[in-house]
Amino acid sequence: MWWRTFKLPAKSRESAAAQLTLNRLQDLEPVTVDFAEKPTVLLFFTSWCPYCQEDAPKMVTLHEKYKDQLNLYGINLAHRDEESEVKQYVQSFQIEYPILLDEDGEVYAQYAGNGFPSLYFFDSEGNVIQELVGATDIDTIEQLFVSFLEGYH
């Protein structure tokens, strides 16, 4: 497990993407992630990853606690997974946050693709300001959520 915090000077900040559109697992309808709407966290995962399975209950707990303060989206690497397995994963962990499909891995590659689970915390302009790669304890993840919300702009 490792994490980085990015300090981006205001003048040099370039928007990575103000929005991101991917298909939702449940109905394959497009969903647009609007980074300006609310503090946003993307969680990249696969259903077969043991570390993703380890962190899934923690993410469900944190989503329930912080869902009114931030948007959390699970991003499944669909090109490396089976849809039926992802649906089973979502059901077995009772995941209620939206699960979106990165069908060709482009979105994952855009954020370096250093492993999973990978949590990326975004500012309102779509810039990554923190990331956490790998499984860890719930307290560490929650500390990142809290610091992210306190420093969000």
Side-chain angles (χ1 to χ4, degrees), residues 1-2 5 9 21 38-39 47 50 60 64 82 123 127-128 143 146:
M1 177 270 315
W2 58 272
T5 300
T21 302
K38 220 179 196 182
S47 67
V60 168
E64 186 59 33
E82 295 293 329
D123 69 11
N127 296 300
V128 176
Q143 286 174 348
V146 169

Side-chain angles (χ1 to χ4, degrees), residues 9-116:
K11 290 187 177 182
S12 69
R13 183 178 306 185
E14 290 186 26
S15 178
Q19 295 182 334
L20 170 68
T21 302
L22 294 170
N23 291 332
R24 184 174 35 224
L25 173 66
Q26 294 86 334
D27 55 16
L28 301 180
E29 290 295 318
V31 171
T32 299
V33 175
D34 183 354
F35 296 108
E37 176 189 29
K38 220 179 196 182
T40 301
V41 179
L42 300 183
L43 167 64
F44 290 90
F45 76 98
T46 63
S47 67
W48 49 263
C49 163
Y51 304 110
C52 301
Q53 294 168 12
E54 179 183 330
D55 272 4
K58 302 168 198 170
M59 297 309 299
V60 168
T61 298
L62 292 172
H63 173 255
E64 186 59 33
K65 186 171 182 177
Y66 293 100
K67 67 183 177 187
D68 294 333
Q69 298 171 57
L70 58 78
N71 287 329
L72 171 64
Y73 296 91
I75 310 292
N76 176 257
L77 281 72
H79 68 291
R80 297 177 69 175
D81 220 330
E82 295 293 329
E83 184 178 331
S84 62
E85 296 294 320
V86 180
K87 287 181 177 180
Q88 177 60 38
Y89 178 93
V90 169
Q91 182 180 6
S92 67
F93 290 110
Q94 301 176 1
I95 296 172
E96 295 184 6
Y97 50 85
I99 301 298
L100 308 179
L101 302 174
D102 184 5
E103 296 180 29
D104 55 12
E106 280 188 36
V107 176
Y108 181 64
Q110 179 180 346
Y111 300 107
N114 291 317
F116 25 83

Side-chain angles (χ1 to χ4, degrees), residues 1-4 6 42-44 51 55 108 111-121 130-136 140-141 144:
M1 177 270 315
W2 58 272
W3 74 80
R4 290 188 290 187
F6 300 90
L42 300 183
L43 167 64
F44 290 90
Y51 304 110
D55 272 4
Y108 181 64
Y111 300 107
N114 291 317
F116 25 83
S118 299
L119 277 172
Y120 292 88
F121 299 80
Q130 287 183 318
E131 70 178 281
L132 172 68
V133 178
T136 190
T140 300
I141 300 169
L144 287 172

